[in-house]
Amino acid sequence: MKKKFSFLFVLILAVVFVMAACSGDTSGEDKEEKDTTEEKSNDEKGSDASSEEGQLTYAVDTAPEGLFVPGFAGSIIDSRINDLIHDSLISANENMEYTPHVAEWETEDNKVFTFKLKEGVKWHNGEELTMEDWQFAIEVLAHPDYDGPRFDYVKEIEGAEEFRKGDADTVKGFEVKDDYTAVITFNEAKVNNLENLWTNPMPKAELEDIPVADLSSAPEVRENSVGFGPFKVKEVVEGEYVSLERFDDYWQGEPKLSEVLIKVIDPSLTIGALQNGEIDFMEIRPDDVEELETLDHVRIEEQEGLGYSYIGFRFGHYDKENRTAVADYDKFKSKELRQAMFYALDRESLVDSYLNGKATIVNTPIPSVHWIVADESELTQYDYDPEKAKELLDKAGYKDVDGDGFVEDPDGEKFVVKFGHYAGPAAFEGRTQAIMQNWEDVGIKTELATGQLVEFNTYNEMKDNDDENLEVFFGAWSVGSDPDPSGLWHSTSEWNYGRWVNEESDKLLEEGLSEKSFEQDYRKQVYIDWQKLYNEELPGLPLWENLDLYGINNHIQGVTIDATGPREFHEWYIEK
């Protein structure tokens, strides 16, 4: 039976990985962590040292990678900055349903979509946005020389695989009818074809003369990116700040702020910078909350988000040519070993000690705001149980043979876990040591990979390249509105950093996108079955669901924050 979908009817669940897909990878980006504050007098608001007329200072405590075109960005920091510079053709609302934004669509079969652009939308360079800009972006992401992380968002378009292999001159399934109309044909009808479609055009006039292999290092991506969002790039100083200025011709109306300065600060300076008015807005850490709550001119906003923290295991490497994980590292192949390492973790103490209680312990990698989340009653609860951990180790053949207090592997060989964690606030060091101590308490000798916490961007590169030092690693993801976890856990996904290969998992993930899954109840049950499998196999240890926390100077008004993060930046303003 055919179903009619259009911009008047939004599929019940949307999304794409934020990174994060919008987002994307926040692997390593630790986000552990409505405007009802009454007005304050000028004296109560603190100094406005950073806020000239209409200027907002938005602080981050990790330097961006510097990829200011969404198709190349991988970290949450770059994605947050790109949200100010760029716009998507389609948006997800507060209920995580896809809605028209710059484009609207219709389809009769969820395979062939016709899209219509708003007319008169301008790029920062004054050029008009057309369907050729979207086609250009699709073909960049599908190009054989593309080195970014977003091919998964175009691969389902008819002809994308052939284009990537060099067997075709264009992506056949993207057909431009005129400046404002395009027809996209997918390989097959899937329930989330729309949600997993790349909807961020690139300015063809700015980028078409640059070889695709050179784009990620080009000034047009790193220094003077052109978007059609509310703010345009004024200046980039690597590792220090990104200065943006208002784009007067923004299609939703002139933004109310004149400038936004994204400033990199040391995490230890967060409280002082908010206190003295040096910064106006920042995503904060849980250990900052108590002191910031004493400031009359700063409000704290908490938001259930789309992020979770986990510990991953190395199972192999990623074959980039064939775009699939290869399970060729057997050290952690024992399910009982992985389960023992989970039971050994005192997650309540970790949340209380290092997250100020601002997180919820979970046993699934699906955020609770998603409608497919399995009830915890259907999952094994890996509560802290060191004796259970020891029993499982013994059952799996991990025994202390030489009497030194630490187990050897089933072959009687020395067994040492190398655990990796990225650098950040002081709490990260304590948390890392506590996790390692939990494992040593049950007899698993644990060493810190590389001997120290690793700089954030370097850490992400190590995961991308399957660095052998990261046998077991701490990470965090911020996902998008669509609940489909394939982008992180399918064996073909490059963000499946543990390189987990499981035939049953792949089958369930694919079934969740099948024709049968157009029936919502059926799709939900498929994903519940997948979560039960994950919960049993534990290719990663889901630790806690992060609560998004923001410190905001009270003179910043019009702020919208939902599960996907800050948004509607053109409506933000400084109250006089």
Side-chain angles (χ1 to χ4, degrees):
M1 178 175 64
K2 288 186 177 181
K3 298 183 180 180
K4 174 122 177 154
F5 296 83
S6 76
F7 67 93
L8 296 175
F9 177 79
V10 182
L11 292 175
I12 293 186
L13 219 206
V15 169
V16 170
F17 289 99
V18 175
M19 281 193 258
C22 5
S23 186
D25 172 356
T26 59
S27 62
E29 176 58 24
D30 208 7
K31 294 178 53 224
E32 291 138 348
E33 329 182 340
K34 282 219 186 190
D35 190 351
T36 58
T37 307
E38 60 184 282
E39 293 184 8
K40 303 291 182 181
S41 69
N42 288 334
D43 289 341
E44 290 175 295
K45 290 179 183 177
S47 95
D48 291 343
S50 71
S51 297
E52 300 170 1
E53 184 73 16
Q55 177 180 299
L56 168 79
T57 300
Y58 183 150
V60 295
D61 62 13
T62 301
E65 292 178 290
L67 295 164
F68 302 128
V69 169
F72 293 92
S75 80
I76 191 67
I77 301 297
D78 289 52
S79 294
R80 290 286 191 244
I81 296 171
N82 284 334
D83 287 344
L84 291 150
I85 303 169
H86 300 272
D87 248 347
S88 174
L89 300 181
I90 298 170
S91 181
N93 65 22
E94 64 275 7
N95 297 317
M96 289 183 290
E97 299 167 330
Y98 259 31
T99 58
H101 194 51
V102 183
E104 57 190 37
W105 66 90
E106 61 180 18
T107 180
E108 294 184 353
D109 57 6
N110 223 51
K111 179 179 178 180
V112 180
F113 287 74
T114 299
F115 290 88
K116 288 279 189 180
L117 276 182
K118 288 183 180 293
E119 298 185 23
V121 176
K122 296 292 183 66
W123 290 97
H124 296 159
N125 61 7
E127 299 279 343
E128 186 177 10
L129 172 70
T130 72
M131 281 298 184
E132 285 197 2
D133 296 308
W134 193 11
Q135 181 183 46
F136 177 75
I138 296 294
E139 294 192 346
V140 166
L141 271 59
H143 196 280
D145 295 333
Y146 170 67
D147 59 359
R150 307 293 179 180
F151 175 67
D152 282 354
Y153 297 103
V154 301
K155 71 178 183 180
E156 298 299 333
I157 301 174
E158 189 177 277
E161 290 281 2
E162 291 80 358
F163 185 77
R164 187 172 183 82
K165 293 174 182 176
D167 296 333
D169 295 330
T170 62
V171 174
K172 177 183 176 182
F174 194 107
E175 184 181 0
V176 174
K177 295 294 188 180
D178 58 49
D179 282 351
Y180 310 108
T181 310
V183 175
I184 297 180
T185 302
F186 293 90
N187 292 319
E188 58 183 297
K190 286 187 175 181
V191 67
N192 68 343
N193 272 338
L194 177 66
E195 290 80 5
N196 275 329
L197 174 64
W198 187 252
T199 57
N200 287 93
M202 294 180 186
K204 182 177 179 180
E206 293 285 326
L207 304 177
E208 65 179 332
D209 294 332
I210 304 170
V212 172
D214 297 336
L215 275 172
S216 62
S217 59
E220 289 82 358
V221 170
R222 291 186 169 272
E223 297 172 15
N224 46 32
S225 169
V226 169
F228 59 94
F231 296 92
K232 57 184 181 181
V233 176
K234 182 178 180 182
E235 183 182 20
V236 176
V237 176
E238 185 177 355
E240 295 185 25
Y241 64 84
V242 177
S243 177
L244 308 177
E245 59 186 346
R246 176 169 54 211
F247 179 44
D248 293 339
D249 292 328
Y250 179 53
W251 69 276
Q252 292 196 93
E254 182 180 287
K256 296 175 181 178
L257 293 170
S258 60
E259 295 185 36
V260 177
L261 178 69
I262 299 101
K263 182 178 182 180
V264 182
I265 70 168
D266 187 285
S268 65
L269 303 178
T270 298
I271 293 173
L274 280 165
Q275 184 175 26
N276 64 26
E278 180 185 345
I279 62 176
D280 302 305
F281 181 94
M282 185 175 186
E283 190 161 0
I284 60 174
R285 308 286 178 177
D287 48 343
D288 295 330
V289 171
E290 187 173 351
E291 191 165 353
L292 287 175
E293 285 179 334
T294 67
L295 303 180
D296 289 336
H297 66 285
V298 174
R299 66 184 184 271
I300 308 296
E301 292 206 13
E302 298 184 359
Q303 171 66 52
E304 284 190 347
L306 292 165
Y308 65 89
S309 294
Y310 74 106
I311 288 172
F313 296 98
R314 178 185 171 206
F315 298 108
H317 74 280
Y318 192 71
D319 181 341
K320 294 185 179 180
E321 182 176 350
N322 294 306
R323 299 190 62 79
T324 188
V326 178
D328 57 2
Y329 190 72
D330 294 336
K331 186 169 182 176
F332 300 98
K333 68 179 181 179
S334 168
K335 176 174 64 177
E336 289 78 15
L337 169 63
R338 301 193 299 272
Q339 291 174 341
M341 292 177 71
F342 207 6
Y343 277 117
L345 294 177
D346 188 355
R347 290 185 285 167
E348 281 195 23
S349 291
L350 290 169
V351 168
D352 289 342
S353 299
Y354 303 106
L355 300 173
N356 198 28
K358 300 291 187 180
T360 302
I361 292 171
V362 294
N363 294 284
T364 172
I366 302 296
S368 62
V369 295
H370 279 324
W371 58 276
I372 65 163
V373 66
D375 192 278
E376 287 287 338
S377 66
E378 299 189 67
L379 305 173
T380 298
Q381 301 297 297
Y382 290 92
D383 298 329
Y384 178 51
D385 191 340
E387 294 308 312
K388 177 74 170 178
K390 291 175 184 178
E391 289 174 13
L392 284 166
L393 288 171
D394 186 71
K395 177 182 177 182
Y398 293 84
K399 303 176 185 291
D400 181 8
V401 177
D402 59 14
D404 67 348
F406 298 107
V407 300
E408 277 68 45
D409 70 18
D411 295 324
E413 300 295 326
K414 184 178 181 182
F415 184 75
V416 179
V417 169
K418 290 192 290 185
F419 177 55
H421 199 300
Y422 49 93
F428 287 13
E429 181 74 44
R431 182 174 68 191
T432 302
Q433 293 300 323
I435 290 170
M436 293 169 65
Q437 187 61 54
N438 278 171
W439 287 332
E440 294 214 332
D441 287 344
V442 299
I444 300 172
K445 182 67 176 175
T446 310
E447 295 177 353
L448 186 59
T450 74
Q452 60 185 356
L453 302 188
V454 183
E455 188 273 328
F456 174 66
N457 291 324
T458 301
Y459 188 80
N460 284 336
E461 290 174 6
M462 291 171 70
K463 288 194 295 180
D464 284 336
N465 297 317
D466 299 316
D467 192 292
E468 63 182 15
N469 285 297
L470 296 185
E471 290 185 337
V472 181
F473 53 91
F474 190 99
W477 283 110
S478 180
V479 302
S481 316
D482 183 33
D484 172 30
S486 300
L488 300 181
W489 298 107
H490 195 281
S491 62
T492 61
S493 173
E494 60 188 290
W495 284 341
N496 171 8
Y497 281 131
R499 313 314 180 194
W500 182 43
V501 178
N502 182 287
E503 184 176 350
E504 185 179 356
S505 169
D506 285 353
K507 183 178 178 180
L508 286 168
L509 292 174
E510 290 158 12
E511 183 65 16
L513 303 177
S514 69
E515 186 173 349
K516 289 182 179 178
S517 289
F518 279 93
E519 171 54 50
Q520 182 177 331
D521 289 342
Y522 180 85
R523 189 183 187 203
K524 180 174 183 176
Q525 187 58 53
V526 169
Y527 286 135
I528 288 174
D529 291 343
W530 179 82
Q531 289 169 79
K532 289 179 178 179
L533 174 68
Y534 184 104
N535 179 250
E536 171 70 16
E537 294 294 327
L538 292 182
L541 310 181
L543 299 174
W544 46 74
E545 194 169 279
N546 305 323
L547 185 64
D548 297 338
L549 303 167
Y550 302 88
I552 310 171
N553 191 306
N554 284 335
H555 65 197
I556 304 300
Q557 297 294 319
V559 174
T560 298
I561 300 172
D562 61 22
T564 64
R567 57 191 297 168
E568 307 295 342
F569 294 105
H570 63 291
E571 297 288 355
W572 295 26
Y573 65 94
I574 293 176
E575 185 178 64
K576 302 270 193 341

